[in-house]
Amino acid sequence: MAASTAPEAKRRVLVLLRARAALAGVDIGWSAPTEAEDLPRGGEMVYLGDVTQTGEWRVLGAGRRDEEYTVGLTVWVQQDGDDMQATEERSWLILDEVSGAIYTDPTLSNLLLQSMEILSASQRVGVASADATGSRIDAVLRCNARFIP
């Protein structure tokens, strides 16, 4: 049986986000930064996270199957100063661009990825450093995919 469609779904989401003009200044990555120097100082980023299978694979015969899983997605905004409202509002605007890319791009709706939607989002805002505010949104993308070799 073939491997999960999750890596391909993540790859396609990254391609969509990197092509979105409104996200041109946003750092977009496969996973969370691994070192402090990878964090954008006074910047913005979107990265994908863990994949969780949410339903059993339904085998359709000859290697075909349906698959359900979630993919974590994080939006991070850090801005100099102490305007937490502006920092939080910017993070929601970025999430709106992410959802716009997902919901309007026809390349995600094909035999591989039949649907993707933002299932939930949780936001936190606070002090990011001595002179900056930060806002983080952790979202969950729900994916339904069909693998046909």
Side-chain angles (χ1 to χ4, degrees):
M1 175 142 321
S4 174
T5 60
E8 178 64 13
K10 288 175 71 171
R11 187 193 66 74
R12 288 181 187 212
V13 168
L14 293 177
V15 168
L16 286 177
L17 298 183
R18 289 177 179 142
R20 191 113 172 150
L23 298 175
V26 178
D27 184 24
I28 297 170
W30 183 271
S31 63
T34 57
E35 300 174 344
E37 64 193 35
D38 295 336
L39 292 170
R41 172 81 175 122
E44 305 165 336
M45 69 178 157
V46 173
Y47 58 87
L48 300 178
D50 295 337
V51 174
T52 303
Q53 186 174 345
T54 57
E56 291 185 28
W57 288 356
R58 291 181 294 282
V59 178
L60 307 174
R64 299 174 183 208
R65 68 167 182 270
D66 284 344
E67 171 175 30
E68 297 175 17
Y69 49 87
T70 61
V71 177
L73 179 138
T74 298
V75 173
W76 170 254
V77 173
Q78 183 172 328
Q79 296 181 344
D80 291 335
D82 61 359
D83 189 347
M84 290 198 188
Q85 180 179 349
T87 305
E88 180 177 341
E89 288 174 350
R90 178 63 184 152
S91 66
W92 285 108
L93 286 173
I94 291 173
L95 184 63
D96 188 54
E97 284 297 324
V98 168
S99 65
I102 290 168
Y103 293 141
T104 62
D105 194 285
T107 64
L108 286 178
S109 297
N110 59 26
L111 290 177
L112 167 69
L113 196 56
Q114 294 181 323
S115 69
M116 178 179 277
E117 64 181 336
I118 293 180
L119 180 62
S120 65
S122 173
Q123 186 270 333
R124 293 182 294 282
V125 66
V127 176
S129 70
D131 58 354
T133 58
S135 177
R136 176 179 171 151
I137 299 175
D138 291 310
V140 176
L141 304 176
R142 178 173 37 202
C143 305
N144 291 300
R146 173 163 288 169
F147 178 79
I148 300 176

